[in-house]
Amino acid sequence: PFEVQVGPAPGEQKVRAWGPGLVGGVVGHAAAFVVEAIGTHVGTLGFSIEGPSQARIECDDRGDGSCDVRYWPTEPGAYAVHVVCDDEDIRDSPFLAQILPAPNDSWPDKVKAFGPGLEPTGCIVERPAEFTIDTRGAGKGPLKLYAQDAEGCPIDIKVKDNGDGTYHCVYVPTKAIKHTIIVTWGGVTTPRSPFRVNVGEGSHPGKVKVYGPGVEKTGLKANEPTYFTVDCSEAGQGDVSIGIKCAPGVVGPVEADIDFDIIKNDNDTFTVKYTPPGAGLYTIMVLFGKQEIPTSPFRIKVDPSHDASKVKAEGPGLSRTGVEVGQPTHFTVQTKGAGKAPLDVQFGAAGPGPAVRDFQLLDNHDYSHTVKYCPLQQGPLSVAVTYGGDPIPRSPFAVNVAPPLQLSKVTVQGLNSKAEVGQPQEFSVGCQGAGGQGKVGVKVTGPSRRPVPCRVGSAPPGGPHPVTFTPPEEGPHRVEVTYDGHPIPGSPFPVEAVLPPDPSKVTAFGPGLQGGRVGTPAPFTIDTKGAGTGGLGLTVEGPCEAKIECQDNGDGSCSVSYLPTEPGDYSINILFAEHHIPGSPFKAKVTPLFDPTMVTATGPGLERGKVGEASTFLVDCSKAGEAELTIEIISEAGVKAEVLIQNNRDGTYSITYTPACAGAYTITIKYGGHPVPKFPVCVAVEPAVDTSGVKVYGKGVEPRGVLREVGTEFTVDARALTQGGGPHVAARVLNPSGTNTDTFVTDLGDGTYRVAYTPFEDGLHLVEVTYDEVSVPKSPFRVGVAEGCDPSRVRAHGPGLEGGLVGKATRFTVETRGAGTGGLGLAIEGPSEAKMSCKDNKDGSCTVEYIPFTPGDYDVNITFGGHPIPGSPFRVPVQELVEPSKVKCSGPGLGPSVRARVPHSFTVDCSTAGLAPLEVTLLGPTGKRDMGGMGGLGDMGDMGDMGGMGDMGDTGGWHPSRSPCWDPR
């Protein structure tokens, strides 16, 4: 068989190779092919040819990411063409090329290929590219073409045989990239081949797009810059030409060219900027590749740059009555939407001299202008505003310039500081000699901040302006008086609106109107809001004179309290404007004082309690007076017990409560908010189950002696409560770290329980034991856990503790799981030293192996923590190794036939079989043992030498072997 080495699949390729020289060729002619780069990084190229003859190789770098490779074979046959990149064969390499002998009737060097389809430039995408191949005089072919584009895609070339030795070839490029064409004749590359054709995009004026405000038919303004965009991204190759002309009459009597700027952008677009110099018609022509695009020319209409009718002017400086002599003023001119044009303002006065001073025309740069001026002449003033020489709407503006304003001469007369709600109030405002426009303004605001209707009348000649308003609500009002928009001195003026007295709107409330207790102030409140203005009268009539205190709250109400010194019925009289308010006189009952020290409590519920059972006691308040009784019963855990208080109507109360859990409860009794004598008291509540008879004992609850990592247990004797067991007992072990140790409770079915656990931490552990969730006596138990071991829990087992053979390894296992922490000691004592090894099994056990060398009894001593484990020392008998297969028997007595009643003998050789008793049994024809011939055994003088048994007395005595081979710590 042939062995073939298969390499891995080629990885990502950096180059590709193709062409006729990779599939065949002719002896004596160059076999050519092309190598092209796939990416930007090519690597190091290499070429080698393997075949019947050596072949000279040439490589011509074309400088465009490709190279032409030629080799010249001198013998026909199969050649392997290797193309290597970075020391690795490229995909499909090596290429197998079949080289043929040179024919005598073919001359490829005489083939000519020409035409635009083979020229380096000039071919355009989607347009047929033609070329001709002339084979006249070249002998026999055949003709074959190889063609690919720069992306490795084959090119479809249509070839037509003209019948005269020439061929017409046509292909249509679809991409504007390099195309490579190789022409071969008779398997040989023709002159100038391969041809590299750079296909261009061509020029497509129909794909040029023009858009932007500068080519819109309407919307342009004269003297306003505009622009448009020419997008050639899909139009191929070509230059952009722009022409802009205006119609006659725009800038002169004849058509004129308009200047523009053209800016080339990065994305094959152009921005064209121009400014129309005047209103009229414009023509824009766009050419691409010297051809006018289909949408050209663009005919544009440019409107005038301004429209004065859209300009607005407003502000105090144009008010007919809002301008004063010598006072600066202003107004605003809005030009948005009116185009661009110069703004002009002119002032005209009736008298000689300048009409204004400090004139300023400010551009706000937001299509608005601010006009500032200060008038110098009293009387009519004309303000003319023009835009682009055209007057704006309402221009010229007629402004009346008033004399200087003197607010100090404005007076207010007849305005009272108090007014009655609902009654009209009148006052007057005089403004003689105050100058200005003479405009009087009055604004009245009520306490709710809502405006109050107000009427300002016209002033008679030389007289003041009458003003009238009516306060609609009670409270402070503000009267603001302005003159020509300016507050006059003293404004705003305060006016307090009051209601007429109305006792029916006065209210009184509070506990003191119903009653009270002797010696304790009885409070109540009187509210006069909304009742108007009036005097307040207050008297308290009863068994004694009561001291009255009254405090004004400042909000229309007052707080009142009286102090009764005798019990009985009292009458409280409240008058407003000398009339009783609703409910007056009020009847109040004053009760005597109470004495919490006279309250007593008795009953079993104050001494003891039981969970889930009602406890009762009696509270006697008959001698303590009248007051509220409150009782609180709360456990030491902060849980309140539900308390039922029953009034017995004789001054006593029956109290019932049911505790929910065992423990100490605190009972607090208060009367009238004061604690009664001997309280609070503490009551012990017993659990529902009496666990006093439960006993707990065992090592697992002893204060000391429990070892870490050693299982322990204890017994719970609950036979005083149950004889048949059941899920009554629970246990919990709390570690020093605060976590719990798993416990295992076993119900023994007779009222006793076994609880087991294994501690894993040093320190004090708390063992809690409960019966039906009630702690048993002495629970929790405090158990100290320390490091140590329990040798009684160590177990050893295996054949090595039962017996052994001389020279043979024997094993046994030692298990220390659950025995705590301690050192394991191993020692073997016997007739000779025994070779011993120990292996830790990583599971709390170890395997011990030893080899005895002398027969006899051996003692295997095993200690844990320095103390022997149960069964140690182990007595192990060791015997000599016996191999019956090595016993040899020979002699005439073992022949196939012997004579009856004639003595026969044979020899038994045990010299290499070890030491063991020899037993010989003879069976007769009947199958029974024949003892008649056993006497002859004494003649076997060699029996005493079997295995050297006589040497056993030479063992030399006791040879101990010790090995503390494993420490489970």
Side-chain angles (χ1 to χ4, degrees):
F2 297 94
E3 182 177 333
V4 179
Q5 296 292 333
V6 180
E12 183 179 358
Q13 298 294 290
K14 297 180 180 179
V15 298
R16 59 173 168 264
W18 62 279
L22 299 179
V23 294
V26 175
V27 172
H29 294 274
F33 59 92
V34 175
V35 179
E36 296 176 327
I38 296 177
T40 56
H41 179 68
V42 176
T44 303
L45 293 177
F47 308 92
S48 64
I49 309 295
E50 297 176 351
S53 67
Q54 291 187 346
R56 178 170 55 90
I57 303 174
E58 289 184 359
C59 180
D60 183 11
D61 187 355
R62 306 299 295 178
D64 59 353
S66 68
C67 61
D68 294 340
V69 183
R70 296 180 177 85
Y71 65 95
W72 282 263
T74 59
E75 296 290 338
Y79 286 73
V81 181
H82 289 267
V83 180
V84 180
C85 181
D86 290 337
D87 298 329
E88 288 187 5
D89 280 286
I90 69 171
R91 182 178 283 116
D92 299 330
S93 177
F95 301 87
L96 296 180
Q98 189 65 36
I99 303 301
L100 302 175
N104 297 324
D105 55 354
S106 180
W107 301 277
D109 294 343
K110 295 184 178 182
V111 175
K112 300 177 182 178
F114 54 89
L118 298 179
E119 295 299 323
T121 60
C123 292
I124 297 174
V125 172
E126 304 298 342
R127 292 187 181 179
E130 301 178 350
F131 62 93
T132 300
I133 300 175
D134 187 353
T135 63
R136 288 175 294 190
K140 294 183 179 180
L143 173 68
K144 189 172 183 180
L145 303 180
Y146 298 80
Q148 286 189 12
D149 62 19
E151 295 178 351
C153 298
I155 303 171
D156 182 18
I157 302 179
K158 306 296 183 183
V159 180
K160 179 184 177 182
D161 187 351
N162 296 326
D164 58 354
T166 64
Y167 297 84
H168 181 258
C169 303
V170 179
Y171 65 95
V172 180
T174 59
K175 297 179 182 178
I177 55 178
K178 180 181 68 176
H179 288 51
T180 303
I181 301 172
I182 302 176
V183 180
T184 65
W185 180 257
V188 179
T189 304
T190 64
R192 296 175 56 205
S193 186
F195 298 89
R196 288 174 172 80
V197 181
N198 293 311
V199 178
E201 294 183 353
S203 179
H204 307 281
K207 294 185 178 181
V208 176
K209 302 175 184 177
V210 180
Y211 53 87
V215 292
E216 296 293 331
K217 293 184 178 181
T218 59
L220 297 181
K221 301 288 185 181
N223 299 310
E224 290 186 3
T226 186
Y227 71 94
F228 60 90
T229 300
V230 180
D231 186 350
C232 306
S233 59
E234 299 178 358
Q237 298 175 337
D239 296 329
V240 175
S241 301
I242 306 294
I244 305 177
K245 293 180 179 292
C246 65
V250 176
V251 294
V254 297
E255 187 178 62
D257 292 327
I258 304 301
D259 293 335
F260 61 87
D261 294 325
I262 184 168
I263 302 170
K264 188 178 187 310
N265 304 318
D266 294 335
N267 54 355
D268 289 333
T269 64
F270 298 84
T271 300
V272 181
K273 298 181 178 180
Y274 71 98
T275 301
L281 297 177
Y282 288 74
T283 302
I284 300 176
M285 296 184 65
V286 179
L287 287 79
F288 184 75
K290 298 181 181 180
Q291 296 183 36
E292 190 171 5
I293 68 175
T295 56
S296 178
F298 299 89
R299 306 196 183 277
I300 310 302
K301 181 182 179 183
V302 177
D303 296 327
S305 60
H306 72 278
D307 185 356
S309 65
K310 294 183 178 180
V311 179
K312 298 179 181 178
E314 55 189 359
L318 297 179
S319 175
R320 290 179 177 271
T321 59
V323 180
E324 300 173 12
V325 171
Q327 294 294 322
T329 186
H330 69 280
F331 62 91
T332 302
V333 180
Q334 298 284 350
T335 62
K336 188 173 183 179
K340 288 189 175 182
L343 177 67
D344 185 51
V345 181
Q346 298 293 329
F347 299 92
V356 299
R357 61 178 173 85
D358 300 334
F359 167 69
Q360 288 181 289
L361 180 59
L362 305 177
D363 188 351
N364 299 325
H365 301 288
D366 60 354
Y367 300 103
S368 71
H369 293 72
T370 299
V371 180
K372 296 182 178 181
Y373 71 95
C374 179
L376 297 178
Q377 298 185 27
Q378 182 177 339
L381 175 68
S382 174
V383 181
V385 181
T386 59
Y387 192 66
D390 301 323
I392 70 172
R394 296 170 52 203
S395 178
F397 297 88
V399 180
N400 184 33
V401 181
L405 186 66
Q406 299 184 51
L407 296 177
S408 61
K409 293 189 176 181
V410 180
T411 60
V412 176
Q413 299 172 347
L415 180 60
N416 296 321
S417 60
K418 284 188 177 290
E420 203 168 285
V421 174
Q423 297 297 321
Q425 305 296 315
E426 296 183 358
F427 65 95
S428 61
V429 179
C431 52
Q432 289 79 6
Q437 305 295 328
K439 184 178 180 181
V440 174
V442 178
K443 178 182 178 183
V444 181
T445 306
S448 61
R449 297 186 179 180
R450 288 180 295 190
V452 177
C454 178
R455 180 179 177 276
V456 180
S458 301
H465 293 266
V467 182
T468 305
F469 75 96
T470 302
E473 56 184 326
E474 181 186 16
H477 288 60
R478 289 165 47 97
V479 179
E480 303 176 46
V481 181
T482 60
Y483 185 74
D484 283 355
H486 302 281
I488 69 171
S491 179
F493 300 92
V495 176
E496 184 71 23
V498 298
L499 291 171
D502 185 358
S504 66
K505 294 186 178 181
V506 179
T507 58
F509 53 90
L513 298 178
Q514 285 78 41
R517 298 192 180 277
V518 173
T520 301
F524 62 91
T525 301
I526 302 174
D527 189 352
T528 63
K529 290 192 291 289
T533 304
L536 183 64
L538 177 63
T539 61
V540 178
E541 300 174 354
C544 69
E545 182 179 357
K547 182 181 179 182
I548 301 175
E549 292 185 357
C550 183
Q551 179 180 355
D552 187 356
N553 296 328
D555 60 353
S557 68
C558 63
S559 298
V560 182
S561 68
Y562 64 96
L563 182 64
T565 58
E566 295 290 339
D569 295 329
Y570 286 75
S571 179
I572 303 173
N573 301 285
I574 304 176
L575 293 86
F576 185 72
E578 300 181 356
H579 291 84
H580 282 278
I581 70 171
S584 179
F586 296 89
K587 301 300 181 180
K589 183 177 181 61
V590 177
T591 59
L593 288 172
F594 65 92
D595 186 0
T597 62
M598 300 301 292
V599 177
T600 60
T602 58
L606 297 176
E607 300 174 0
R608 72 187 67 85
K610 182 172 274 190
V611 173
E613 296 182 5
S615 299
T616 62
F617 60 91
L618 183 72
V619 179
D620 187 353
C621 306
S622 59
K623 297 179 182 179
E626 294 184 7
E628 181 183 7
L629 176 66
T630 58
I631 298 176
E632 182 182 66
I633 303 176
I634 187 169
S635 72
E636 58 187 347
V639 180
K640 290 184 178 181
E642 184 177 357
V643 181
L644 176 62
I645 303 176
Q646 180 180 348
N647 190 345
N648 299 325
R649 305 299 179 185
D650 59 356
T652 65
Y653 297 85
S654 296
I655 312 302
T656 304
Y657 69 96
T658 303
C661 56
Y665 280 73
T666 301
I667 302 178
T668 303
I669 302 178
K670 292 184 179 181
Y671 195 64
H674 299 276
V676 304
K678 300 181 181 180
F679 285 87
V681 297
C682 187
V683 177
V685 174
E686 300 176 353
V689 178
D690 184 5
T691 62
S692 61
V694 178
K695 300 178 182 178
V696 181
Y697 56 88
K699 192 172 183 179
V701 291
E702 295 296 328
R704 292 180 297 277
V706 176
L707 302 178
R708 189 187 72 191
E709 299 182 8
V710 177
T712 186
E713 62 182 31
F714 59 89
T715 301
V716 180
D717 186 352
R719 287 177 290 184
L721 298 176
T722 177
Q723 297 296 325
H728 302 290
V729 173
R732 184 170 77 106
V733 178
L734 184 65
N735 302 332
S737 63
T739 59
N740 292 332
T741 293
D742 294 335
T743 58
F744 303 93
V745 180
T746 303
D747 184 358
L748 302 179
D750 59 354
T752 62
Y753 300 81
R754 182 170 63 248
V755 182
Y757 68 94
T758 301
F760 293 95
E761 296 182 15
D762 292 338
L764 181 64
H765 289 58
L766 297 179
V767 181
E768 300 176 354
V769 182
T770 60
Y771 186 91
D772 286 346
E773 300 183 357
V774 178
S775 295
V776 304
K778 299 182 182 180
S779 178
F781 299 88
R782 302 167 68 84
V783 178
V785 176
E787 182 179 3
C789 63
D790 184 358
S792 66
R793 292 177 176 268
V794 179
R795 193 168 71 91
H797 57 88
L801 299 179
E802 299 170 0
L805 296 174
V806 172
K808 288 290 186 179
T810 185
R811 299 180 181 85
F812 63 90
T813 300
V814 182
E815 295 182 357
T816 62
R817 286 189 296 271
T821 305
L824 179 67
L826 299 170
I828 300 177
E829 300 175 347
S832 69
E833 182 177 356
K835 181 179 180 182
M836 182 169 52
S837 63
C838 182
K839 176 184 178 183
D840 186 355
N841 298 327
K842 307 299 183 182
D843 61 353
S845 70
C846 69
T847 300
V848 181
E849 181 179 278
Y850 67 95
I851 303 174
F853 297 101
T854 303
D857 290 336
Y858 287 75
D859 286 339
V860 179
N861 295 278
I862 304 175
T863 61
F864 190 66
H867 299 280
I869 71 170
S872 179
F874 297 87
R875 178 61 55 90
V876 182
V878 177
Q879 300 177 355
E880 186 74 46
L881 179 64
V882 177
E883 298 182 87
S885 63
K886 293 185 178 182
V887 176
K888 300 178 181 179
C889 300
S890 61
L894 298 178
S897 64
V898 295
R899 296 178 63 185
R901 301 186 184 276
V902 176
H904 298 278
S905 65
F906 60 89
T907 302
V908 180
D909 184 0
C910 304
S911 59
T912 61
L915 299 177
L918 177 67
E919 180 180 355
V920 179
T921 302
L922 276 69
L923 300 177
T926 62
K928 295 182 180 181
R929 175 179 293 187
D930 186 355
M931 300 300 295
M934 291 298 294
L937 291 172
D939 297 334
M940 298 174 67
D942 295 335
M943 290 282 291
D945 297 331
M946 288 189 301
M949 290 187 65
D951 297 335
M952 289 186 65
D954 297 332
T955 55
W958 201 242
H959 297 279
S961 176
R962 300 180 182 272
S963 175
C965 61
W966 181 54
D967 187 346
R969 292 179 292 182

